[in-house]
């Protein structure tokens, strides 16, 4: 495990690092998750291994510190990741990012372009989300006030709604961190994450579950050079639900662009 201070108070982002060649690959998890739990099994697959890989936990989550003074906006998350990557000597990284982590990755690439050379977004949030009392995930968490969630029992209601699998990692997040991250994820950014993604000039791939049907705005993304790839046999947690399809699609997205395509046997 490695770490870097990312706030003036010395709060640490931590990550699990796998050795390998450059460019480095950085894995970012979603809301209430942790990168080692969600990405280790795919990161060590022979089709993705061999690169220096940082399975990084966002501030407030997993093995990273959980400061209560941090605001946990998407911009602040991105800047904290940038500080961690800079401390680790990473530049021009290939970033593979899930859900809220994908939103952070888009902001990271827009604010710190020297740190990101490619993006693979895994069912990432690109637009603001309406707050919905009683629902799971960010929309349900953000429907509370911070006091209601942190000290008024809202977190216990969310615990009971999300189920044991998600709660096994969500319980590692600080309550303030979880609430503020969810609140700012539902609010989004200005310009929006979608607009930022459209304007990036690096190779970008967006993976989504085929079962979700047509992805809103896919045509505009494709026209802007984003490769939109629907994968079968999975829900939101693509890397856990269908690791074979996830690894194949991610390896294709990260393949050297000047490498000739392999012949196909039809």
């Amino acid at each position: 495990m490695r770490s870097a201070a990312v706030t003036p108070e010395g709060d640490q982002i931590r990550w699990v690092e796998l050795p390998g060649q450059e460019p480095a690959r950085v894995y970012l998890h979603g809301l209430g998750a942790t990168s080692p739990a969600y990405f280790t099994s795919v990161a060590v697959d022979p089709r993705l291994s061999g690169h220096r890989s940082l399975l990084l936990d966002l501030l407030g989550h997993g093995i990273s510190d959980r400061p209560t003074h941090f605001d946990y906006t998407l911009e602040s998350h991105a800047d904290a990741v940038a500080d961690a990557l800079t401390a680790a000597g990473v530049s021009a990284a290939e970033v593979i990012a899930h859900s809220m982590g994908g939103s952070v990755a888009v902001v990271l690439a827009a604010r710190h372009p020297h740190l990101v050379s490619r993006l693979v977004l895994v069912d990432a949030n690109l637009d603001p989300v309406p707050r919905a009392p009683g629902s799971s995930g960010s929309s349900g968490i953000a429907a509370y006030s911070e006091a209601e969630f942190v000290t008024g029992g809202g977190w216990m209601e969310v615990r009971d709604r999300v189920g044991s699998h998600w709660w096994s990692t969500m319980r590692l997040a600080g309550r303030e961190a979880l609430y503020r991250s969810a609140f700012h994820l539902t609010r989004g950014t200005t310009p929006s994450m979608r607009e930022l993604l459209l304007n990036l000039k690096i190779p970008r791939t967006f993976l989504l579950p085929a079962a979700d049907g047509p992805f809103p705005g896919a045509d505009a993304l494709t026209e802007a050079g984003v490769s939109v790839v629907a994968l079968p046999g999975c829900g939101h947690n693509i890397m856990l639900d269908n690791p074979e399809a996830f690894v194949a699609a991610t390896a294709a997205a990260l393949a050297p662009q000047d490498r000739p395509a392999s012949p196909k046997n039809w």
Side-chain angles (χ1 to χ4, degrees), residues 3-244:
S3 65
V6 296
T7 69
E9 295 77 12
D11 301 292
Q12 304 271 319
I13 273 182
R14 298 183 178 87
W15 64 91
V16 171
E17 184 164 329
L18 307 175
Q21 65 184 16
E22 301 290 339
R25 290 177 176 169
V26 176
Y27 292 83
L28 298 177
H29 61 82
L31 178 70
T34 170
S35 288
Y38 275 67
F39 285 114
T40 297
S41 63
V42 292
V44 299
D45 186 283
R47 290 164 289 180
L48 292 179
S49 63
H51 281 255
R52 181 187 181 194
S53 298
L54 288 72
L55 283 68
L56 186 147
D57 279 352
L58 298 171
L59 203 63
H61 290 71
I63 57 177
S64 292
D65 286 346
R66 301 181 289 276
T68 58
H69 58 81
F70 195 71
D71 62 16
Y72 296 99
T73 65
L74 294 173
E75 295 88 347
S76 293
H77 271 305
D79 290 346
V81 171
D83 287 343
L85 297 183
T86 299
V90 171
S91 63
E94 299 174 337
V95 180
I96 303 97
H98 178 232
S99 196
M100 184 186 80
S103 306
V104 172
V106 170
V107 178
L108 174 69
R111 290 169 73 92
H112 306 276
H114 66 289
L115 294 177
V116 183
S117 62
R118 296 195 192 196
L119 281 178
V120 178
L121 304 177
V122 188
D123 209 19
N125 302 75
L126 298 183
D127 305 297
V129 179
R131 296 166 201 160
S135 65
S136 298
S138 59
S139 59
I141 293 172
Y144 297 95
S145 70
E146 182 168 330
E148 288 171 338
F149 182 79
V150 172
T151 61
W155 68 272
M156 290 185 287
E157 296 174 359
V158 169
R159 174 199 63 191
D160 296 339
R161 287 201 297 267
V162 301
S164 60
H165 182 271
W166 196 359
W167 184 251
S168 68
T169 58
M170 189 180 285
R171 65 190 173 88
L172 302 177
R175 293 182 194 173
E176 293 86 357
L178 186 61
Y179 176 80
R180 294 173 196 168
S181 295
F183 177 86
H184 290 295
L185 181 61
T186 62
R187 188 194 67 171
T189 58
T190 304
S192 71
M193 295 87 78
R194 184 181 294 271
E195 292 174 275
L196 293 174
L197 179 61
L198 287 169
N199 289 320
L200 293 174
K201 304 305 180 185
I202 58 176
R204 295 145 295 160
T205 299
F206 192 100
L207 308 181
L208 72 152
D212 287 355
F215 184 65
D219 289 345
L221 291 174
T222 301
E223 290 173 7
V226 181
S227 178
V228 179
V229 182
L231 299 179
C234 59
H236 181 55
N237 297 323
I238 299 173
M239 73 293 290
L240 301 179
D241 297 339
N242 191 343
E244 170 61 32

